[in-house]
Amino acid sequence: MGTLIVVTGLALLLAIWYELKGIQFKLKQRLRHDERIIERLDFLLNGLAEEKKRKEREGGGEG
């Protein structure tokens, strides 16, 4: 009876561990996705800032 409890407990711990690893994997995927979005937004904002500077130089600050 004691062996059954130990084996059941270990199986439960193993199942929980695999579930947590799956959650960790999904979170890492989401983080990479979010990092790519941030990089794209940063690139876009830098481009807009450069465009604004260029227009200010060309137009003397009008606009």
Side-chain angles (χ1 to χ4, degrees):
M1 183 69 177
T3 305
L4 180 61
I5 293 172
V6 170
V7 169
T8 304
L10 288 175
L12 183 59
L13 287 174
L14 187 62
I16 291 170
W17 184 78
Y18 275 117
E19 185 67 26
L20 289 174
K21 289 304 256 183
I23 292 169
Q24 180 186 30
F25 178 73
K26 288 176 186 175
L27 288 173
K28 283 183 179 179
Q29 280 185 322
R30 178 65 189 253
L31 178 62
R32 283 193 292 267
H33 179 258
D34 291 350
E35 286 173 343
R36 278 181 272 172
I37 290 172
I38 290 169
E39 288 173 359
R40 290 177 189 155
L41 288 172
D42 188 47
F43 180 73
L44 176 63
L45 290 173
N46 286 337
L48 291 173
E50 289 297 320
E51 182 70 17
K52 182 180 178 186
K53 287 178 188 176
R54 185 183 62 79
K55 285 184 178 180
E56 286 176 351
R57 283 192 301 258
E58 291 176 354
E62 297 175 13

